[in-house]
Amino acid sequence: MPELPEVETIVKCLSASLPGLTIEKVEVRNPQVIAAPAPGEFCRQACGQKILHIRRRGKYLLIYLSGDLVLAVHLRMTGRLVHTGPQEPLARHTHLIFFLHDGTQLRYADTRRFGRLWLLTPGSLSNHPGIGSLGVEPLSPQFTPAYLAGALAGRRTRLKSLLLDQRVIAGLGNIYADEALHRAGLHPLRPACTLSGEEVKALHSAVREVLREGIAARGTTVRDYADGRGQPGTFQEKLRVYRRREQPCPRCGKPVSRLITGGRSTYFCPGCQK
DNA sequence: CGGACAACCTGGTTGC
DNA sequence: TGCAACCAGGTTGTCC
């Protein structure tokens, strides 16, 4: 479900209400979602810790706690992290509840149970197999046309696969990769190393633009996504190709096509993405 | 290197 | 209505 704009929206949302609150108790309704340490240790370590601040790295949420701890959360497809009052009815598939000292709760729900949580230390983040190997943040100054050109150089892989590779760019997912390629006018199956300098620049700008607009719209809700208060996003109204098969391309009017690459549905316009 | 595919899961949609 | 097939914002590992 959540890509960079959705996680960023959740982080902003939770940052408004969680910092300063202390974790009093953790209820583990399904231990499967705790990746590490073992559930008993996870609860022991988390209890009594104060929430300091919340950050994002790629699609990971990082909740910094007192006691030199970081709660890392990856929502995968259907994970939700919602800060709520105790009276709110429990959503189906709620696997973890953090009881906070002001009586509110931070709940983790996940229909498909692909998402995972880790309790780490700030110093060990770089050793985490996922977080440690993340590539550049696409909205940071480090993401330049030159960086992108370097990442594309010598790679025969398809543009779509490269954009989804978290070791290259951290945070792009299926929706925003397709939308960026459409805005750049590039075919998703184009071998990465064949882009001209102008095309690299166009792709660089398109990636940043689509992510910024996604954040401004508070993310894309196709089905399950909701922010830290349970509210949907609005970027689904602005999508130009994603999930718009057979509908006219907003730029040239040709019907949007779909293909599968890397096991993922890929939407593109055969008219303006040659 | 790179691509296809299965696995991990539940549930909504589509088509016969 | 019933039921099977297909589909889903992600990641990881295996096989060729």
Side-chain angles (χ1 to χ4, degrees):
Chain A
M1 126 219 233
E3 307 181 29
L4 187 153
E6 289 74 36
V7 179
E8 183 71 21
T9 302
I10 295 169
V11 166
K12 282 183 183 165
C13 220
L14 296 180
S15 293
S17 60
L18 284 181
L21 301 181
T22 298
I23 299 168
E24 274 191 342
K25 188 179 80 166
V26 184
E27 180 182 338
V28 182
R29 301 166 55 89
N30 187 339
Q32 188 186 7
V33 300
I34 299 176
E41 188 62 17
F42 180 96
C43 297
R44 235 185 325 278
Q45 288 186 26
C47 282
Q49 305 300 342
K50 184 196 276 193
I51 297 170
L52 303 177
H53 54 260
I54 302 152
R55 299 283 182 270
R56 180 191 58 73
R57 178 76 174 99
K59 298 171 193 169
Y60 288 84
L61 280 128
L62 302 175
I63 303 177
Y64 286 80
L65 306 177
S66 59
D68 198 41
L69 293 168
V70 186
L71 176 62
V73 185
H74 198 303
L75 304 168
R76 297 284 181 101
M77 300 284 265
T78 53
R80 285 183 179 215
L81 203 53
V82 177
H83 186 206
T84 177
Q87 73 290 345
E88 290 295 314
L90 212 55
R92 277 193 80 183
H93 309 292
T94 298
H95 305 307
L96 220 48
I97 305 174
F98 295 89
F99 292 87
L100 307 171
H101 81 274
D102 69 343
T104 62
Q105 301 172 6
L106 180 63
R107 298 175 180 173
Y108 179 72
D110 188 345
T111 305
R112 293 173 73 180
R113 270 181 278 140
F114 289 168
R116 289 293 180 270
L117 296 90
W118 297 258
L119 199 53
L120 307 165
T121 64
S124 69
L125 288 178
S126 58
N127 299 327
H128 183 277
I131 300 168
S133 57
L134 289 174
V136 72
E137 281 293 328
L139 295 179
S140 76
Q142 282 70 49
F143 182 58
T144 59
Y147 173 89
L148 184 57
L152 299 176
R155 302 287 307 271
R156 298 294 310 170
T157 192
R158 297 155 164 180
L159 282 178
K160 174 68 183 279
S161 302
L162 187 125
L163 291 180
L164 291 181
D165 187 343
Q166 302 298 299
R167 296 168 302 182
V168 178
I169 301 173
L172 274 184
N174 213 30
I175 297 177
Y176 297 95
D178 282 1
E179 292 295 312
L181 287 169
H182 177 259
R183 290 185 186 214
L186 295 166
H187 194 285
L189 301 185
R190 183 92 173 265
C193 61
T194 63
L195 267 61
S196 70
E198 284 309 301
E199 289 173 324
V200 172
K201 275 190 190 169
L203 181 57
H204 171 265
S205 305
V207 165
R208 291 175 80 116
E209 184 183 280
V210 81
L211 291 175
R212 285 213 180 93
E213 290 180 24
I215 292 170
R218 302 180 58 77
T220 304
T221 297
V222 171
R223 173 178 292 160
D224 300 292
Y225 167 71
D227 70 14
R229 292 193 201 86
Q231 298 300 305
T234 64
F235 197 65
Q236 61 278 8
E237 299 159 16
K238 305 207 171 87
L239 297 174
R240 299 182 188 175
V241 286
Y242 183 76
R243 279 204 169 183
R244 299 191 71 245
R245 185 165 34 164
E246 302 303 320
Q247 292 178 239
C249 165
R251 189 194 293 148
C252 75
K254 284 227 173 86
V256 169
S257 292
R258 187 182 85 123
L259 57 78
I260 305 285
T261 179
R264 311 298 301 279
S265 271
T266 297
Y267 299 85
F268 71 104
C269 169
C272 46
Q273 292 174 266
K274 297 293 188 188

